[in-house]
Amino acid sequence: MAGKIKHYYAGGNTSRGFYSLYESNLQGLEKIFILKGGPGTGKSTLMRTIGLEWRDKGFDIEFMHCSSDNHSIDGVIIPKLKLGIVDGTAPHVIEPNAPGAIEEYVNLGAAWNADQLALKKDEICQYTLKISSEFASAYAAFAEALRIHDDWEKIYIENMDFVKADRLGEKILKELFGEIALNKKADVRHRFLGAATPQGACDFVPNLTEGLSKRYFVKGRAGTGKSTILKKVAAQAESRGFDTEIYHCGFDPHSLDMVIVRELGIAIFDSTAPHEYFPSREGDEIIDVYSAAVTPGTDEKFAEEIKIISSRYRAKMKEATAFLAAAKALHDELEEIYKAAMDFSKVGEITEEIREKIEKLASVTSSV
């Protein structure tokens, strides 16, 4: 029987620049293959191929998706083997803990024709500069969108009853945890459920919440304390010894979008745009923060102001996405230069070497 695949992002294009949560998701691994090589050298294909092979062998796997390319992945993890393969090229900064013992560098650059690439040096440098410029423009636009969003939040913050909001938070914590606690240290992972991509906002909420018995859909408006509730849930889960998956906001990573506690079979998440979902199965429940803690009629009273702010926000987000799309188009052109200089039969040989090493590690693991 095939294993299951968990999809998420470990890095994102955010209002605070590229934001990495890779370290949190690689903790505890005993073997990490770090792939080096330029664009178009087959890193994503290698990781996806090996991941799916082990999925077909019955192992659950995790795909860390690339926020800058909707069709690529940045890493694959096989939790049972305590093993991962990750893209170690910029902007993925991975600091090795025990080079050689845990982390092993794999150079896919060994498969390219360096003389052929040298002839394209100026062109490659120009593409690299242009791509960096497009990303910088995207991050600046996202940062401006965050400032506009702050104006949006201010309207609701000034019309919040924080006593009622605190009561709602306490009620949620009591319902989720009761008096239950586990006598162990929690395993906490920080991730993104979605990301700003060249194709717009994408998320993996359905995949991540699959099989859970209870899903809480937190509804509200900007600034109504959804993230605060999720932070309280995450803190309680960790303090009580529950393994906790904490999903940060792909727009503002200082905020949270979802918390999953699989040992309790629950997920609680911000179910507003751009990851808006509605109950669709037994056990789903809506938590409406707006109706519970915001002055009635706030939407109507500030309708015109909200309309203007939301329009400015959407325009700025659209602008940022266009910059990401431009960076992706340039990256695709750069990839073609590298692909033309690659000997993919050598990439196949490197892939086979990694396969053999994983098989050896798996046999040792199974015999322990």
Side-chain angles (χ1 to χ4, degrees):
M1 182 178 176
K4 293 183 179 180
I5 304 176
K6 188 181 295 180
H7 299 275
Y8 58 86
Y9 294 91
N13 301 306
T14 80
S15 57
R16 303 179 191 277
F18 182 81
Y19 201 91
S20 175
L21 295 171
Y22 286 93
E23 185 177 343
S24 176
N25 293 284
L26 300 180
Q27 65 182 4
L29 297 185
E30 295 178 358
K31 185 67 177 181
I32 303 172
F33 295 95
I34 301 175
L35 306 184
K36 293 289 187 178
T41 53
K43 299 185 295 294
S44 178
T45 299
L46 185 159
M47 292 185 288
R48 192 183 298 276
T49 298
I50 290 179
L52 292 177
E53 287 173 356
W54 281 89
R55 186 277 309 269
D56 292 342
K57 293 178 181 181
F59 287 74
D60 291 342
I61 66 169
E62 298 175 3
F63 276 156
M64 296 189 289
H65 287 255
C66 175
S67 58
S68 299
D69 183 343
N70 296 74
H71 303 293
S72 292
I73 60 172
D74 283 340
V76 59
I77 294 173
I78 311 173
K80 190 172 181 180
L81 299 181
K82 295 185 177 181
L83 178 145
I85 311 173
V86 295
D87 182 343
T89 57
H92 321 108
V93 179
I94 300 169
E95 295 293 340
N97 292 313
I102 295 177
E103 296 88 3
E104 178 177 336
Y105 289 93
V106 179
N107 181 22
L108 295 183
W112 64 39
N113 184 324
D115 292 335
Q116 186 174 334
L117 289 175
L119 296 174
K120 298 278 189 177
K121 181 184 70 174
D122 291 342
E123 195 174 348
I124 289 171
C125 289
Q126 287 175 9
Y127 271 116
T128 301
L129 285 172
K130 288 179 182 178
I131 291 168
S132 295
S133 176
E134 295 293 348
F135 274 116
S137 295
Y139 298 147
F142 282 130
E144 179 58 28
L146 180 61
R147 286 189 283 272
I148 295 170
H149 197 269
D150 288 343
D151 292 338
W152 200 345
E153 287 189 347
K154 185 180 178 183
I155 293 172
Y156 291 99
I157 290 172
E158 291 177 349
N159 288 275
M160 280 281 291
D161 185 327
F162 289 100
V163 174
K164 289 182 178 178
D166 288 341
R167 283 190 199 134
L168 176 63
E170 290 303 315
K171 179 184 176 183
I172 292 169
L173 293 178
K174 187 173 182 180
E175 181 175 336
L176 293 181
F177 301 107
E179 302 299 323
I180 304 172
L182 302 180
N183 188 26
K184 67 177 179 65
K185 184 178 180 180
D187 183 326
V188 179
R189 305 288 166 144
H190 292 266
R191 300 165 174 163
F192 294 103
L193 61 82
T197 80
Q199 294 180 11
C202 295
D203 71 76
F204 293 113
V205 170
N207 168 265
L208 291 168
T209 61
E210 182 182 358
L212 297 176
S213 57
K214 187 77 177 177
R215 300 189 301 177
Y216 295 88
F217 298 65
V218 183
K219 302 288 185 179
R221 310 289 187 273
T224 54
K226 301 185 298 296
S227 176
T228 299
I229 288 173
L230 294 175
K231 288 177 180 178
K232 289 179 178 180
V233 170
Q236 277 289 314
E238 181 178 359
S239 70
R240 291 168 181 257
F242 290 103
D243 295 344
T244 310
E245 296 168 28
I246 301 174
Y247 293 87
H248 293 247
C249 173
F251 172 56
D252 180 5
H254 291 180
S255 293
L256 300 186
D257 274 346
M258 179 165 71
V259 178
I260 293 179
V261 186
R262 295 190 187 275
E263 288 163 318
L264 292 175
I266 61 171
I268 177 168
F269 66 101
D270 179 339
S271 184
T272 56
H275 33 80
E276 185 174 24
Y277 290 89
F278 296 91
S280 60
R281 67 192 200 207
E282 188 177 351
D284 287 350
E285 182 178 330
I286 288 177
I287 298 172
D288 190 338
V289 183
Y290 178 82
S291 63
V294 179
T295 303
T298 297
D299 281 346
E300 294 76 13
K301 182 178 179 181
F302 295 94
E304 191 59 35
E305 189 175 344
I306 291 169
K307 182 180 178 181
I308 294 170
I309 292 173
S310 64
S311 178
R312 290 172 55 218
Y313 172 76
R314 285 195 301 271
K316 193 56 67 172
M317 292 295 283
K318 186 177 180 180
E319 180 184 325
T321 300
F323 285 125
L324 291 181
K328 171 65 167 61
L330 290 166
H331 192 271
D332 288 346
E333 293 175 19
L334 180 59
E335 278 191 344
E336 292 304 316
I337 295 175
Y338 278 89
K339 284 179 181 178
M342 288 293 292
D343 181 346
F344 284 101
S345 66
K346 289 186 179 179
V347 177
E349 292 171 5
I350 293 171
T351 304
E352 188 57 36
E353 289 175 8
I354 294 176
R355 278 197 188 100
E356 291 174 2
K357 290 179 180 180
I358 295 175
E359 288 284 0
K360 186 176 180 181
L361 288 167
S363 64
V364 171
T365 301
S366 62
S367 65
V368 174

